[in-house]
mmCIF file of all heavy atoms in Angstrom:
data_model
loop_
_atom_site.group_PDB
_atom_site.id
_atom_site.type_symbol
_atom_site.label_atom_id
_atom_site.label_comp_id
_atom_site.label_asym_id
_atom_site.label_seq_id
_atom_site.Cartn_x
_atom_site.Cartn_y
_atom_site.Cartn_z
ATOM 1 N N THR A 32 8.976 37.884 11.061
ATOM 2 C CA THR A 32 7.663 37.246 11.073
ATOM 3 C C THR A 32 7.446 36.358 9.808
ATOM 4 O O THR A 32 6.929 35.203 9.964
ATOM 5 C CB THR A 32 6.563 38.322 11.159
ATOM 6 O OG1 THR A 32 6.688 39.081 12.367
ATOM 7 C CG2 THR A 32 5.167 37.646 11.222
ATOM 8 N N ARG A 85 30.606 42.807 3.880
ATOM 9 C CA ARG A 85 30.420 43.740 5.074
ATOM 10 C C ARG A 85 31.589 43.482 6.058
ATOM 11 O O ARG A 85 31.908 42.370 6.390
ATOM 12 C CB ARG A 85 29.143 43.517 5.727
ATOM 13 C CG ARG A 85 28.913 44.337 6.912
ATOM 14 C CD ARG A 85 27.465 44.072 7.526
ATOM 15 N NE ARG A 85 27.241 44.788 8.744
ATOM 16 C CZ ARG A 85 27.556 44.335 9.926
ATOM 17 N NH1 ARG A 85 28.097 43.152 10.038
ATOM 18 N NH2 ARG A 85 27.317 45.004 11.008
ATOM 19 N N SER A 102 18.692 26.079 9.703
ATOM 20 C CA SER A 102 17.244 26.076 9.771
ATOM 21 C C SER A 102 16.567 25.803 8.452
ATOM 22 O O SER A 102 15.623 25.081 8.273
ATOM 23 C CB SER A 102 16.745 27.373 10.367
ATOM 24 O OG SER A 102 15.298 27.441 10.416
ATOM 25 N N GLY A 135 11.170 31.228 23.014
ATOM 26 C CA GLY A 135 9.798 31.452 23.555
ATOM 27 C C GLY A 135 9.162 30.156 23.864
ATOM 28 O O GLY A 135 9.581 29.060 23.460
ATOM 29 N N VAL A 141 4.144 27.732 16.822
ATOM 30 C CA VAL A 141 4.924 28.309 15.749
ATOM 31 C C VAL A 141 5.221 27.185 14.639
ATOM 32 O O VAL A 141 5.171 27.469 13.446
ATOM 33 C CB VAL A 141 6.225 28.900 16.237
ATOM 34 C CG1 VAL A 141 7.148 29.386 15.109
ATOM 35 C CG2 VAL A 141 5.949 30.077 17.152
ATOM 36 N N LEU A 215 -5.685 1.938 -10.010
ATOM 37 C CA LEU A 215 -4.719 2.773 -10.891
ATOM 38 C C LEU A 215 -4.647 2.275 -12.245
ATOM 39 O O LEU A 215 -4.663 3.056 -13.222
ATOM 40 C CB LEU A 215 -3.390 2.713 -10.218
ATOM 41 C CG LEU A 215 -2.239 3.460 -10.865
ATOM 42 C CD1 LEU A 215 -2.527 5.011 -10.752
ATOM 43 C CD2 LEU A 215 -0.875 3.137 -10.328
ATOM 44 N N ALA A 234 2.331 -7.517 -4.151
ATOM 45 C CA ALA A 234 1.226 -7.495 -3.181
ATOM 46 C C ALA A 234 0.507 -8.878 -3.279
ATOM 47 O O ALA A 234 0.136 -9.455 -2.300
ATOM 48 C CB ALA A 234 0.259 -6.405 -3.505
ATOM 49 N N LEU A 272 0.479 -21.800 -34.069
ATOM 50 C CA LEU A 272 0.938 -20.710 -33.297
ATOM 51 C C LEU A 272 -0.142 -20.405 -32.300
ATOM 52 O O LEU A 272 -1.317 -20.168 -32.659
ATOM 53 C CB LEU A 272 1.270 -19.470 -34.064
ATOM 54 C CG LEU A 272 1.693 -18.216 -33.285
ATOM 55 C CD1 LEU A 272 2.947 -18.514 -32.498
ATOM 56 C CD2 LEU A 272 1.891 -17.027 -34.247
ATOM 57 N N CYS A 289 2.521 -26.588 -29.727
ATOM 58 C CA CYS A 289 3.075 -25.833 -30.889
ATOM 59 C C CYS A 289 3.870 -24.670 -30.331
ATOM 60 O O CYS A 289 4.056 -24.497 -29.086
ATOM 61 C CB CYS A 289 1.951 -25.387 -31.820
ATOM 62 S SG CYS A 289 0.812 -24.206 -30.907
ATOM 63 N N ASP A 295 2.537 -11.397 -20.180
ATOM 64 C CA ASP A 295 1.939 -11.063 -18.882
ATOM 65 C C ASP A 295 2.857 -10.192 -18.136
ATOM 66 O O ASP A 295 4.065 -10.457 -18.089
ATOM 67 C CB ASP A 295 1.732 -12.416 -18.055
ATOM 68 C CG ASP A 295 0.836 -12.178 -16.828
ATOM 69 O OD1 ASP A 295 0.961 -11.127 -16.184
ATOM 70 O OD2 ASP A 295 0.035 -13.085 -16.530
ATOM 71 N N ARG A 312 7.558 -10.931 -20.174
ATOM 72 C CA ARG A 312 7.075 -10.151 -18.952
ATOM 73 C C ARG A 312 6.815 -8.690 -19.432
ATOM 74 O O ARG A 312 7.731 -7.905 -19.345
ATOM 75 C CB ARG A 312 8.066 -10.216 -17.854
ATOM 76 C CG ARG A 312 7.594 -9.589 -16.573
ATOM 77 C CD ARG A 312 8.614 -9.613 -15.473
ATOM 78 N NE ARG A 312 8.096 -9.028 -14.258
ATOM 79 C CZ ARG A 312 7.521 -9.662 -13.276
ATOM 80 N NH1 ARG A 312 7.380 -10.942 -13.352
ATOM 81 N NH2 ARG A 312 7.123 -9.036 -12.140
ATOM 82 N N SER A 315 0.179 -6.456 -22.347
ATOM 83 C CA SER A 315 -0.214 -6.764 -23.740
ATOM 84 C C SER A 315 -0.159 -5.533 -24.580
ATOM 85 O O SER A 315 0.125 -5.637 -25.769
ATOM 86 C CB SER A 315 -1.638 -7.442 -23.698
ATOM 87 O OG SER A 315 -2.528 -6.548 -23.100
ATOM 88 N N LYS A 329 3.457 -14.843 -38.298
ATOM 89 C CA LYS A 329 2.291 -15.483 -38.911
ATOM 90 C C LYS A 329 1.078 -15.310 -37.961
ATOM 91 O O LYS A 329 1.288 -15.038 -36.786
ATOM 92 C CB LYS A 329 2.558 -16.929 -39.234
ATOM 93 C CG LYS A 329 2.972 -17.711 -37.946
ATOM 94 C CD LYS A 329 3.390 -19.217 -38.370
ATOM 95 C CE LYS A 329 3.866 -19.883 -37.127
ATOM 96 N NZ LYS A 329 4.250 -21.383 -37.550
ATOM 97 N N ASN A 359 -9.006 -18.086 -40.064
ATOM 98 C CA ASN A 359 -9.034 -19.317 -39.238
ATOM 99 C C ASN A 359 -8.730 -19.172 -37.792
ATOM 100 O O ASN A 359 -8.798 -20.102 -37.026
ATOM 101 C CB ASN A 359 -8.058 -20.357 -39.925
ATOM 102 C CG ASN A 359 -8.426 -20.750 -41.258
ATOM 103 O OD1 ASN A 359 -9.632 -20.938 -41.587
ATOM 104 N ND2 ASN A 359 -7.412 -20.881 -42.118
ATOM 105 N N THR A 385 -14.228 -12.061 -11.482
ATOM 106 C CA THR A 385 -14.192 -11.928 -12.953
ATOM 107 C C THR A 385 -14.087 -10.552 -13.441
ATOM 108 O O THR A 385 -13.713 -10.376 -14.644
ATOM 109 C CB THR A 385 -15.501 -12.519 -13.571
ATOM 110 O OG1 THR A 385 -16.618 -11.681 -13.189
ATOM 111 C CG2 THR A 385 -15.773 -13.964 -13.074
ATOM 112 N N ARG A 399 -20.414 -6.127 -33.482
ATOM 113 C CA ARG A 399 -19.771 -7.089 -34.363
ATOM 114 C C ARG A 399 -20.668 -8.315 -34.585
ATOM 115 O O ARG A 399 -20.277 -9.441 -34.224
ATOM 116 C CB ARG A 399 -18.453 -7.509 -33.821
ATOM 117 C CG ARG A 399 -17.374 -6.366 -33.889
ATOM 118 C CD ARG A 399 -17.003 -6.000 -35.313
ATOM 119 N NE ARG A 399 -16.567 -7.105 -36.093
ATOM 120 C CZ ARG A 399 -15.339 -7.628 -36.120
ATOM 121 N NH1 ARG A 399 -14.382 -7.005 -35.385
ATOM 122 N NH2 ARG A 399 -15.030 -8.674 -36.856
ATOM 123 N N ILE A 407 -19.708 -20.616 -23.550
ATOM 124 C CA ILE A 407 -19.450 -22.033 -23.028
ATOM 125 C C ILE A 407 -19.731 -21.943 -21.530
ATOM 126 O O ILE A 407 -19.037 -21.205 -20.776
ATOM 127 C CB ILE A 407 -18.024 -22.466 -23.315
ATOM 128 C CG1 ILE A 407 -17.640 -22.229 -24.773
ATOM 129 C CG2 ILE A 407 -17.905 -23.920 -22.823
ATOM 130 C CD1 ILE A 407 -18.540 -23.021 -25.755
ATOM 131 N N THR A 453 -26.293 -20.301 -23.160
ATOM 132 C CA THR A 453 -24.928 -20.891 -23.140
ATOM 133 C C THR A 453 -25.052 -22.326 -23.723
ATOM 134 O O THR A 453 -26.152 -22.912 -23.679
ATOM 135 C CB THR A 453 -24.315 -20.929 -21.785
ATOM 136 O OG1 THR A 453 -25.139 -21.744 -20.919
ATOM 137 C CG2 THR A 453 -24.183 -19.580 -21.262
ATOM 138 N N GLU A 457 -19.147 -30.218 -24.085
ATOM 139 C CA GLU A 457 -19.246 -31.392 -24.965
ATOM 140 C C GLU A 457 -19.937 -31.068 -26.242
ATOM 141 O O GLU A 457 -19.592 -31.510 -27.341
ATOM 142 C CB GLU A 457 -19.955 -32.543 -24.257
ATOM 143 C CG GLU A 457 -19.073 -33.132 -23.174
ATOM 144 C CD GLU A 457 -17.792 -33.778 -23.627
ATOM 145 O OE1 GLU A 457 -17.842 -34.289 -24.762
ATOM 146 O OE2 GLU A 457 -16.843 -33.772 -22.855
#
Side-chain angles (χ1 to χ4, degrees):
T32 301
R85 176 179 176 271
S102 172
V141 175
L215 180 69
L272 176 61
C289 61
D295 194 321
R312 186 183 181 90
S315 56
K329 55 185 177 182
N359 296 320
T385 65
R399 291 295 304 277
I407 312 300
T453 63
E457 290 297 327

